[in-house]
Amino acid sequence: MNFARLHHVQLLIPVGGEDDARRFYGGVLGLIELDKPPVLKARGGCWFRGGGWEVHLAPVPGFTPEKKAHPGVLVNGLDLLAEKLEAAGHPVEWDPHFPGHRRLYAADAHGNRLEFLEPTD
């Protein structure tokens, strides 16, 4: 057996939260929205891909954002991303405690925690 790579990460959003997700993941982060297969499209949610990562957003009743669990995404141009996030109203929290990387945290449109890292080596 051999793991090739991570295919996607799934995050939860509130029911009806797709438009906010599109503004954040498609607009702010610049990811491309994917067409979901018809059998899955009926469940709601939306999928995005770009820059080596894919995120699937699934609506659930009683949604609560993830404040600790998060995807960690490698980035080229972390300062530019931080500027884009801040300009779009998504404050960033810089964290210097990851050896060999610059790192920040931000929340998506629904409050889910996201980590973005850029290697310093």
Side-chain angles (χ1 to χ4, degrees):
M1 182 181 72
N2 180 355
F3 294 112
R5 66 179 182 86
L6 181 67
H7 182 272
H8 70 273
V9 62
Q10 179 171 292
L11 298 175
L12 303 180
I13 62 173
V15 173
E18 289 87 353
D19 287 342
D20 287 335
R22 287 182 178 102
R23 281 188 285 278
F24 181 78
Y25 288 95
V28 177
L29 297 185
L31 303 178
I32 303 300
E33 185 170 359
L34 304 174
D35 287 329
K36 292 179 66 174
V39 68
L40 299 177
K41 190 178 281 193
R43 299 179 186 174
C46 41
W47 295 357
F48 296 88
R49 180 187 298 149
W53 73 301
E54 188 169 314
V55 60
H56 295 183
L57 301 157
V60 294
F63 165 79
T64 301
E66 283 296 332
K67 299 294 186 187
K68 189 71 174 170
H70 60 272
V73 181
L74 287 173
V75 174
N76 292 318
L78 191 62
D79 292 313
L80 178 59
L81 175 60
E83 290 172 15
K84 286 183 73 170
L85 288 164
E86 293 273 1
H90 299 275
V92 301
E93 175 189 343
W94 290 93
D95 182 351
H97 304 293
F98 197 97
H101 294 80
R102 295 177 63 232
R103 163 169 86 164
L104 66 81
Y105 293 101
D108 71 7
H110 303 292
N112 290 308
R113 187 180 200 195
L114 303 172
E115 177 181 344
F116 298 100
L117 307 100
E118 184 172 49
T120 56
D121 301 329

